[in-house]
Amino acid sequence: MTALRITSSISIDESELEESFILSSGAGGQNVNKVSSAVQLRFDVVHSPSLSDPVRLRLIALSGSRLTKEGVLILVGRQYRDQTRNRMDVRERLAELIREAAITPKTRRPTKPTRASKERRIEGKKNRANIKKNRSKRFDD
C-alpha cells in the first residue's frame, strides 16, 4: 500500500482516506451531467493512528466547519473538470492542512513594560488631558 506523504515524520496510509465521486456543478457543458468529476475526501482525524495528539488537536481546531461531529474531516474538490486533477487538489489541500497543524506555535513569554515606555504612556495621557482641558469654555471675570 502507498501512503500520502505529508512531512518527513507524518505520512497517511491510503486506507485512512475515503474518496467518493459526486456530480460537479458549474462549467463543463453536457459533460457535467454525465461524469462524476467532483471528489469528496473523508479523513477520520479523531481515530487516525498517523497523527500525534498535539497535531490532531491543532488539526481539529483548524478544520472548523469541515469537521463532522464524529471527527471526520470532509474536503470537496470540484475546481477542475476532470476527476484526477480534483483528486490531486483535494489530497494536496489535506496535506497542506496537516502541515499547518504540524507546526508547533511559539509560546508567548510575558514581558514587563520598560520604564521609558511607561513614561511615554503617561506623557501621552497628560498631553491628551491638556488638549481636552483647553477645549472647555471658561469665562474669566
Side-chain angles (χ1 to χ4, degrees):
M1 271 193 211
T2 60
L4 179 64
R5 197 104 186 109
I6 310 295
T7 64
S8 57
S9 59
I10 302 173
S11 61
I12 295 174
D13 199 45
E14 286 288 329
S15 62
E16 292 184 60
L17 302 175
E18 183 186 321
E19 289 177 333
S20 55
F21 302 100
I22 52 178
L23 287 174
S24 182
S25 59
Q30 283 186 332
N31 188 52
V32 85
N33 301 322
K34 293 189 273 183
V35 182
S36 298
S37 59
V39 181
Q40 187 179 55
L41 181 83
R42 298 173 144 266
F43 174 61
D44 194 350
V45 177
V46 176
H47 300 106
S48 173
S50 305
L51 301 176
S52 64
D53 284 337
V55 174
R56 183 186 332 274
L57 292 173
R58 284 193 294 270
L59 183 58
I60 288 170
L62 281 173
S63 297
S65 63
R66 296 172 285 195
L67 198 71
T68 64
K69 289 178 184 174
E70 294 80 35
V72 177
L73 177 67
I74 300 174
L75 294 174
V76 180
R78 53 169 58 106
Q79 185 177 356
Y80 302 104
R81 287 186 183 191
D82 59 306
Q83 202 177 77
T84 52
R85 284 174 70 188
N86 280 329
R87 277 185 76 198
M88 297 306 293
D89 176 52
V90 166
R91 286 168 176 255
E92 185 52 45
R93 281 175 28 217
L94 174 68
E96 191 56 43
L97 205 60
I98 296 172
R99 272 188 217 111
E100 198 176 327
I103 298 168
T104 53
K106 290 181 180 175
T107 54
R108 184 190 178 279
R109 293 196 181 98
T111 58
K112 291 182 180 175
T114 62
R115 185 176 172 186
S117 68
K118 285 180 186 176
E119 288 172 1
R120 280 194 302 270
R121 181 179 146 269
I122 299 298
E123 197 57 43
K125 287 169 76 77
K126 285 179 183 175
N127 287 340
R128 190 80 190 139
N130 280 333
I131 290 169
K132 288 186 172 188
K133 193 166 104 180
N134 291 336
R135 276 190 206 146
S136 65
K137 295 178 183 174
R138 282 192 299 248
F139 299 105
D140 292 329
D141 290 44

